[in-house]
Amino acid sequence: MAACYWFLFMLELRGLGFRYPDTEHPALDGIDLRLEAGQCLGLLGSNGAGKTTLLSLIAGLRQPQQGEIRWQGERSIGLVPQQPAFHAGLSVKENLQLFADLYRLRGTERSNRLQRCIHDTHLESLLGTRAARLSGGQQRRLNFAIGLLQPAALYLFDEATVGVDIHSRELLLGAVQGLTADGCAVIYTSHYLEEIERLAQRIVLLAEGQVRLDLDKRQLLGDDHGLLLEWPTAPPSGLDALLAELQLECLPTARGCRIERIDAPQLARLCQFIASQPQLPDLLRFGRPSLEQLYLHFSGGAL
Amino acid sequence: MRLRALVRKEFLLLIRDHHALGVLFLMPALFVLLMAFALAEVNQDRLPALELVLEIPQPSEESAFFAAALDEQLGESRRLESTATSAPHLRLSPAFAEQLLDTEQASLGLVFPAATDALSRQRVRAAAHAALAQTRLMAFLLDTGELDADSSLAERMTLIRQRTEVRINEQERLASGALDQRVNASQHSVPAWLIFGMFFVMLPMANSFQREQQSGTLLRLRCLGVNMGTLALSKLLPYLAINLLQFGLLLAIGVWALPLLGLPGLHLPGSIAAWLLLAGSLALAACSLGLAIASLARSGEQALMYSGGINLILAAIGGVMVPKSVMPEAMAQLAELSPMSWGLDAFLVLLVGQGSLTDVAPWCARLLLFAVGVGALALFLFLKRLNDTQWTTHN
C-alpha cells in the first residue's frame, strides 16, 4: 500500500484491564504490550483467553477500565473481522466503492487503493457479482479487500481466512505481508498456527486475560531449541542422574524432557544410556519445536 | 460524503428488496382498491333509491296528485307493482278524495316489510306526510276556488310547489366535527391504507438495521468513527423519501385510478402547503417509529413481529380497518391514541371539510410531537444499540 506510517506509528498498552459485568475474573488483567510500525503481532489464546476483548479495546469499541492505550500519531485502524462485514445486497464493486467513500478516499489515492486491493484479493472477475451470490471463500476475499482498502496505521485481522481455499489463502497472507513491508502494523489472530508462524514477527499468547508469552518468533522458534525426548509412560529412573552428571540444562515435560543445548560427546553418552534401557523413547526429535507444540505447552493444553 | 454514500447504499438495498417494495407500495395500493370496492355502498352522500308500492283502490284527481307529489318527494325512488312484497306498501283509503279535508279520518296506511331499515321507513313516512299535506292544500284551494278546476296536474303541482316552498339559508361549517360519517369509500380507503402503508416502513428499516448489525458492517462503521447522527440520518432520510413517494403515488391512485374502476375519485381541495405539511408530519411520525423498532429488535424475527404487530394494532384502533364512525364510543375514544387516527382526521379535514393549513395544523402538530417524542426514544435506543455492537467471534 502506498500509505506508510512507520515514522509515526506506535501502539503501547500499559496495564490494561477490563472486567465484564457480573463476572468473577477479569477478561484482561494488566496487559502490557508495545507494537512497532512494520511489525506483525500474532495473537494466540484459547477461547475466552481475552483476545476479542483486547481487539475491541484497541479498536476503540470498548473503553479500558484500567491502564491506558497510547498511540503515537493518529489512531487509524483497518479491520477484517471474522464474520463477513459487508452488504450482501450490493455487488462487490458497490461494496468497495461504498467503503471507499466511508474511508473518505478521493482522486488518485482512491483509484490506486481500489485497484490494489482488488488485485491482491483476485476479485477482478467478480466485481459485478452481488455479494450474496459469492461463495464462502469469495466472501472472505471481499471482506479482506474492504479491510485492505482502508488507509490505516494498524490492521486487525480476526480469523480472517476461515473457510478460504489454499490458493486464496496464499493471496491473502501475501497481502498481509505486503502491509508490514509497507510499514504498517498488524495484529493477526488465527487458529491456523502455521499462518501465525509465517506472518508474525512477534507472538503473544494470552491465557486467562494475561500475557503468558510475549516473544520474538526467532527466539521462540529458534533452530537451537535442543532435543526433545519422551517415553510412552515415564522417563527411565537413571535419566535425571545422567543429566546432572553431564551438566545438561533441561526442561522436564510430562513424559520426558527437553534438553536445551547438547554437544556431540554428551549426545553419545545419552544415546548409550537410552539404548541400554528396557523401554525406548516413543519421541526423539532434534531441532525446533512447532508453534503448535509451544502453544499447547504454554496454554496448558487448551485449544 | 459519508452520509451521501450511506443514503445511496440504503436506496440501492431497498430497490433490490422486492419484498420490501411489495409491502411499501403494492400492498397498500391493493388495499386501497379492494377496500374502496368493499365500502362502495357505504357512506355515500346520495341516499340510495327506495322501492315502494302505492296502492290506490279508488283512482281520482286527488290520488293522482298525491302520487305525483310522492314521486317528487322521494326523488329517484321507484314505484313497484302491488304484488311486490319486499317493498313498503303505502295504501290510500278508498274514500281518499272525500276524506282529504277531514283531518279526523286516516287517509293513508303504511305496511313495512321487516327488512326495511329505520332510515328508509323514516324517509317513506316523511314523504307521505309531505305529499298528503300538498294534496290537502290542493284540495283546499280547489274547494275555495283559488285553483282552477280545469287546470292540469302539472299546473297544479307548480302552484302547490310555489305555495309550500320554504327557502332555508343553509351553510356548511367546513373542517369541523366528526367528518368520518360523511366520507365516501374513496375518501376513507385511500387515506387509511396510505397511512397504513407509510407506517410499514418500520419493517424494511428494522430488517436493514438487523442485517447491518449481524453482518458486522455496523462494527466496521463504529471502528471508522462514523458518528451516530450520520448513521441515524442515513436510516431516516431514504425512508422519509419513500414515505413521500408512497403519499404521492397512493393519492394519484385515488385521483386517477379509482374513477377508471367506476369508484368515486378523490378530489384534493386545500392548499399545497397543507398537503405538504400533512405528508411531512406523517412521514416523520412513521420513520421515527421505524427507527425505534429497528433499534429495539434484536433479530429479523423480532423486527417482523414488532413492526407487523404494532402496525396492525395502530391500524385496528386508529380507524384504518374499521371507520371510526361505526366504532362504539369507547373504541372511538381509544382510537385517539393512535397516530394513524390523527393522520386520518387530518386527511378528512382536507378531503371532506375542505380545510386550510390552519385547520389541518392541530392534527399535524400531534403527529410532529409524536415524531419528536418517539424520535428521541429511537435515538436513545439507537445509540445504545450502537454501543452494544461489539466484536464477536465464532470460534
Side-chain angles (χ1 to χ4, degrees):
Chain A
M1 293 288 164
C4 301
Y5 294 81
W6 61 270
F7 56 97
L8 286 173
F9 180 72
M10 184 190 69
L11 168 68
E12 191 172 17
L13 314 180
R14 285 185 178 175
L16 212 58
F18 189 88
R19 184 197 296 266
Y20 290 100
D22 305 322
T23 54
E24 192 178 345
H25 300 291
L28 292 176
D29 184 16
I31 301 289
D32 294 308
L33 270 180
R34 189 182 162 94
L35 187 62
E36 302 294 340
Q39 192 173 49
C40 177
L41 186 149
L43 186 61
L44 294 176
S46 55
N47 295 337
K51 300 191 301 289
T52 303
T53 308
L54 182 60
L55 292 180
S56 298
L57 291 173
I58 292 172
L61 296 171
R62 294 185 190 279
Q63 294 305 309
Q65 294 161 347
Q66 288 177 346
E68 60 176 336
I69 301 175
R70 295 181 63 186
W71 296 83
Q72 278 191 10
E74 187 188 355
R75 190 183 82 107
S76 60
I77 297 173
L79 179 70
V80 181
Q82 185 179 357
Q83 73 257 53
F86 49 74
H87 294 284
L90 300 183
S91 70
V92 169
K93 188 178 178 182
E94 286 165 344
N95 265 300
L96 290 171
Q97 285 178 334
L98 167 68
F99 281 97
D101 286 338
L102 294 174
Y103 299 153
R104 296 193 167 119
L105 292 172
R106 290 167 193 251
T108 316
E109 189 192 11
R110 179 188 174 99
S111 52
N112 286 345
R113 291 194 78 92
L114 277 169
Q115 203 173 0
R116 175 96 181 257
C117 78
I118 290 167
H119 174 264
D120 284 352
T121 51
H122 272 213
L123 287 170
E124 292 92 339
S125 61
L126 299 168
L127 289 177
T129 308
R130 200 77 62 82
R133 296 185 187 135
L134 297 175
S135 70
Q138 290 167 339
Q139 289 190 352
R140 292 278 172 191
R141 278 153 56 190
L142 173 58
N143 199 35
F144 220 93
I146 292 169
L148 294 178
L149 182 62
Q150 184 177 4
L154 170 65
Y155 290 85
L156 305 178
F157 293 87
D158 183 20
E159 302 287 349
T161 57
V162 173
V164 175
D165 63 64
I166 294 170
H167 178 66
S168 298
R169 181 176 297 179
E170 279 302 308
L171 281 172
L172 301 182
L173 296 185
V176 176
Q177 286 174 319
L179 289 175
T180 51
D182 285 342
C184 302
V186 168
I187 297 180
Y188 195 94
T189 78
S190 176
H191 281 185
Y192 298 127
L193 298 183
E194 67 276 15
E195 289 183 6
I196 301 273
E197 206 169 337
R198 173 174 161 185
L199 293 173
Q201 288 92 47
R202 264 177 72 198
I203 295 174
V204 168
L205 175 65
L206 285 181
E208 295 172 345
Q210 295 180 327
V211 174
R212 193 63 61 86
L213 264 181
D214 179 3
L215 292 170
D216 187 293
K217 187 174 74 177
R218 287 163 300 183
Q219 181 188 350
L220 189 68
L221 305 173
D223 288 336
D224 56 350
H225 223 68
L227 173 66
L228 178 66
L229 282 169
E230 285 189 349
W231 277 264
T233 51
S237 55
L239 181 65
D240 288 345
L242 178 67
L243 294 174
E245 181 194 333
L246 294 174
Q247 296 182 325
L248 287 172
E249 194 178 324
C250 69
L251 290 168
T253 64
R255 293 183 290 115
C257 65
R258 178 185 301 282
I259 300 166
E260 295 289 333
R261 290 174 184 275
I262 189 166
D263 59 22
Q266 290 169 324
L267 181 61
R269 283 286 306 277
L270 184 63
C271 288
Q272 283 174 356
F273 171 78
I274 291 170
S276 67
Q277 298 303 311
Q279 191 176 39
L280 291 174
D282 61 351
L283 175 66
L284 192 157
R285 190 172 61 218
F286 199 67
R288 69 173 205 167
S290 71
L291 179 58
E292 185 176 347
Q293 287 168 321
L294 284 170
Y295 175 80
L296 288 172
H297 176 76
F298 285 104
S299 64
L303 275 169
Chain B
M1 185 179 182
R2 282 179 165 175
L3 179 61
R4 195 177 61 190
L6 288 170
V7 167
R8 182 174 175 274
K9 174 261 298 177
E10 286 291 335
F11 268 122
L12 280 175
L13 291 174
L14 188 61
I15 287 166
R16 289 168 189 174
D17 187 347
H18 297 159
H19 296 107
L21 292 178
V23 164
L24 294 175
F25 292 100
L26 194 60
M27 183 196 69
L30 276 175
F31 270 126
V32 163
L33 296 175
L34 290 173
M35 298 312 287
F37 268 115
L39 296 173
E41 297 296 321
V42 178
N43 284 346
Q44 297 195 65
D45 272 348
R46 201 172 54 191
L47 288 168
L50 274 176
E51 291 184 331
L52 180 74
V53 175
L54 179 59
E55 294 179 16
I56 305 175
Q58 192 68 48
S60 61
E61 278 189 341
E62 287 77 7
S63 64
F65 185 89
F66 178 83
L70 188 68
D71 287 346
E72 197 168 88
Q73 289 295 326
L74 289 175
E76 293 178 2
S77 300
R78 195 158 62 94
R79 279 204 273 131
L80 303 178
E81 295 298 319
S82 59
T83 51
T85 54
S86 60
H89 281 232
L90 180 56
R91 185 176 297 139
L92 304 190
S93 72
F96 178 73
E98 293 75 27
Q99 293 170 343
L100 254 184
L101 295 177
D102 181 1
T103 52
E104 298 297 318
Q105 298 293 323
S107 309
L108 299 176
L110 261 172
V111 179
F112 288 115
T116 308
D117 61 85
L119 178 63
S120 299
R121 291 177 191 223
Q122 189 55 36
R123 286 174 64 198
V124 171
R125 282 190 205 106
H129 276 284
L132 183 61
Q134 286 180 322
T135 310
R136 276 183 169 153
L137 178 60
M138 188 272 296
F140 177 76
L141 294 178
L142 273 177
D143 193 47
T144 57
E146 285 187 57
L147 189 62
D148 186 359
D150 297 330
S151 57
S152 66
L153 180 64
E155 286 168 341
R156 291 179 183 184
M157 276 302 300
T158 305
L159 180 71
I160 297 302
R161 202 183 293 126
Q162 285 168 353
R163 292 287 181 96
T164 55
E165 193 172 45
V166 180
R167 291 189 185 278
I168 299 172
N169 186 15
E170 185 177 311
Q171 289 182 327
E172 190 160 11
R173 199 177 294 166
L174 295 171
S176 63
L179 297 167
D180 51 345
Q181 296 179 12
R182 288 275 319 280
V183 295
N184 62 31
S186 304
Q187 286 168 333
H188 172 76
S189 296
V190 175
W193 298 107
L194 184 161
I195 292 169
F196 185 68
M198 285 177 81
F199 272 80
F200 245 113
V201 288
M202 279 189 272
L203 184 60
M205 272 180 100
N207 272 336
S208 152
F209 194 51
Q210 287 308 315
R211 280 196 294 266
E212 208 156 75
Q213 193 182 41
Q214 285 169 5
S215 73
T217 318
L218 204 58
L219 183 78
R220 272 200 207 275
L221 297 178
R222 276 200 69 198
C223 285
L224 271 175
V226 178
N227 69 50
M228 190 197 73
T230 304
L231 280 176
L233 271 179
S234 76
K235 297 286 164 206
L236 281 174
L237 290 178
Y239 289 98
L240 281 172
I242 291 290
N243 263 180
L244 296 177
L245 190 62
Q246 285 178 295
F247 192 92
L249 196 70
L250 288 163
L251 280 187
I253 288 176
V255 172
W256 289 295
L258 292 185
L260 295 177
L261 301 170
L263 291 163
L266 216 54
H267 297 284
L268 306 179
S271 67
I272 291 177
W275 285 102
L276 287 178
L277 177 66
L278 176 56
S281 309
L282 273 171
L284 282 168
C287 287
S288 60
L289 187 58
L291 189 63
I293 298 300
S295 310
L296 199 63
R298 297 277 158 175
S299 65
E301 290 77 18
Q302 279 190 7
L304 179 64
M305 191 178 70
Y306 289 162
S307 55
I310 289 175
N311 212 26
L312 286 172
I313 289 169
L314 290 180
I317 66 169
V320 167
M321 295 170 177
V322 178
K324 283 192 290 181
S325 57
V326 300
M327 285 181 180
E329 182 61 25
M331 273 298 292
Q333 284 178 354
L334 187 64
E336 295 306 316
L337 297 175
S338 169
M340 292 192 187
S341 166
W342 310 335
L344 264 176
D345 284 339
F347 261 105
L348 296 185
V349 164
L350 288 173
L351 287 174
V352 183
Q354 301 181 22
S356 64
L357 183 66
T358 318
D359 296 320
V360 87
W363 304 108
C364 294
R366 279 198 202 186
L367 287 167
L368 290 172
L369 278 175
F370 175 86
V372 169
V374 175
L377 175 69
L379 286 177
F380 169 76
L381 292 172
F382 191 72
L383 180 62
K384 189 171 180 303
R385 194 69 192 276
L386 286 182
N387 288 332
D388 288 347
T389 301
Q390 290 299 337
W391 202 305
T392 54
T393 51
H394 304 287
N395 48 33

